[in-house]
Amino acid sequence: MINQAALALGTKRNTIMELADYGRSRAAIVGKENVFDFSIGNPSIPAPELVQSTLLDILQNMDPITVHGYTSTMGDPKVRAIVAQDLCERFGCDSKAEEILLCCGAAPEVAAACKALTTEGAEILVFAPYFPEYKPYVEQAGAIFRIVPADIPDFQINFSALEELICPNTTAVIVNNPNNPVGAVYSEATIQKLSALLERKSEEFGHRIYIIADEPYRELVYGDAKVPFIPNIYPHTVVCYSYSKSLSLPGERLGYIYVPSAAENGRDLYHAILGAARAMGHVCAPSLMQLMLSRCAHLHPDLSVYDRNRRTLMEALTSYGYEMAKPEGAFYLFLKAPSGDDRAFSAMAMEKDVLLMPGSDFGCPGYLRLCYCVSYDTVVRSLPLFEELIKE
Ligand code: PLP
């Protein structure tokens, strides 16, 4: 007997991965340079020089048994202390090593946090447009996946819809800031308002509603935009961080969970997440990457390449008549589908080998996601095609 839910998930794959696979197959036929693949958020800038040199140094000079061995399930205590110290310096919090759990990226972290916060009948809320993998994470945990409709055109939080959907079964809300697929940054005022609402509802329902803060793009912000550090506003928060985007290491699988002790039942929540991760097969984050992190946790990404792509696309697409949400973070533009039909427009673009994800896959029909973590040359050569598309 085969688990039918698992079969369905494996058969109808992640649509982003499917479109990216299609891009690779087209590249093999028409040449890589002729495919304008804006489908997937794979960083297009290399990992910082210090990351490369540190990895080489570790491999050449450290004991291979240590480098490739297991660490503690929570991660090497010294590395956890460095991560905690880095958080204190960046955000003025008082995080400690024992509140940090080194993990294999934001995906398993969010999945483990969902599991740890799922009790009988639990509901977990997400804000549209949302990262589509949240649905399988929430449902594998056994919780009900509830979508708060988008706040159009600002792409902050639709508070009136949230008030209607939040209920005594709600155990957590997932907040992704900066947001994939919009590139919007939830402001300090938005997070303050969310915090006040969750305080009020937790009181009313007689149990704590937690925030799961999914933050792989925390360092990727442009101009004056500021990403509020949610635990400083609402301590009942599980931070799920990843180095996939900030250090351009998505294939290396490294991130951390931070559960402040100030969160209600914070220590139990930390251990429940550890238990959930264990049940999902977590053993430890890659040892080589942990060792690298002990010397590179302070690094910030160089955003100049993404920023140039962002500004070039914004300017050109706006001049052709496209409308988009204000992109302040991550590396995504969220375009209004000119025809109103995102799937039809995405299919039309595909005919020209321009790959854009329909907003419907993120719970927001009528929009298209464009990942601008591509080469500048790809951006520039794609512009005439965008102009043709809107005319058509
Ligand atoms: N959450 C969001 C919003 C993402 O966009 C991604 C990846 O694109 C992930 C989680 C997964 O990231 P990771 O590579 O750290 O597992």
Side-chain angles (χ1 to χ4, degrees), residues 51-71:
V51 170
Q52 312 279 13
S53 57
T54 303
L55 287 171
L56 284 174
D57 183 48
I58 293 168
L59 285 170
Q60 281 166 354
N61 298 311
M62 277 187 71
D63 166 27
I65 304 295
T66 309
V67 171
H68 302 299
Y70 293 124
T71 67

Side-chain angles (χ1 to χ4, degrees), residues 192-344:
Q192 293 277 11
K193 199 166 165 187
L194 177 65
S195 165
L197 187 143
L198 295 180
E199 276 297 351
R200 180 160 53 80
K201 291 291 176 184
S202 298
E203 177 85 33
E204 184 183 328
F205 302 146
H207 66 83
R208 177 57 59 188
I209 301 169
Y210 293 87
I211 291 180
I212 299 172
D214 178 25
E215 302 196 332
Y217 303 99
R218 192 206 291 139
E219 262 70 60
L220 276 65
V221 273
Y222 309 96
D224 299 331
K226 296 245 170 329
V227 180
F229 189 60
I230 301 179
N232 286 352
I233 298 171
Y234 190 73
H236 318 288
T237 295
V238 178
V239 174
C240 299
Y241 186 76
S242 165
Y243 294 95
S244 291
K245 319 288 174 168
S246 61
L247 293 185
S248 293
L249 295 171
E252 304 300 349
R253 314 309 304 146
L254 184 68
Y256 62 82
I257 292 178
Y258 164 49
V259 186
S261 302
E264 193 168 311
N265 298 322
R267 288 317 290 161
D268 280 356
L269 179 54
Y270 179 93
H271 287 112
I273 293 172
L274 187 58
R278 176 182 165 197
M280 287 156 64
H282 170 78
V283 176
C284 65
S287 306
L288 173 60
M289 292 302 134
Q290 292 192 44
L291 289 167
M292 174 280 296
L293 189 61
S294 67
R295 299 192 221 164
C296 297
H298 64 283
L299 292 176
H300 282 271
D302 171 9
L303 296 180
S304 57
V305 170
Y306 297 145
D307 197 22
R308 181 158 80 144
N309 288 353
R310 181 183 76 109
R311 284 184 287 109
T312 304
L313 279 161
M314 244 165 64
E315 234 167 74
L317 299 191
T318 309
S319 76
Y320 306 150
Y322 288 90
E323 291 173 47
M324 69 198 75
K326 191 174 166 202
E328 293 189 300
F331 34 48
Y332 305 108
L333 292 184
F334 208 49
L335 308 173
K336 217 167 170 175
S339 55
D341 182 340
D342 53 326
R343 290 208 188 280

Side-chain angles (χ1 to χ4, degrees), residues 81-104:
I82 288 168
V83 168
Q85 182 58 28
D86 183 58
L87 282 176
C88 295
E89 283 164 18
R90 284 187 199 212
F91 304 112
C93 55
D94 67 346
S95 52
K96 297 168 206 68
E98 61 269 24
E99 298 167 336
I100 303 290
L101 167 55
L102 296 177
C103 267
C104 302

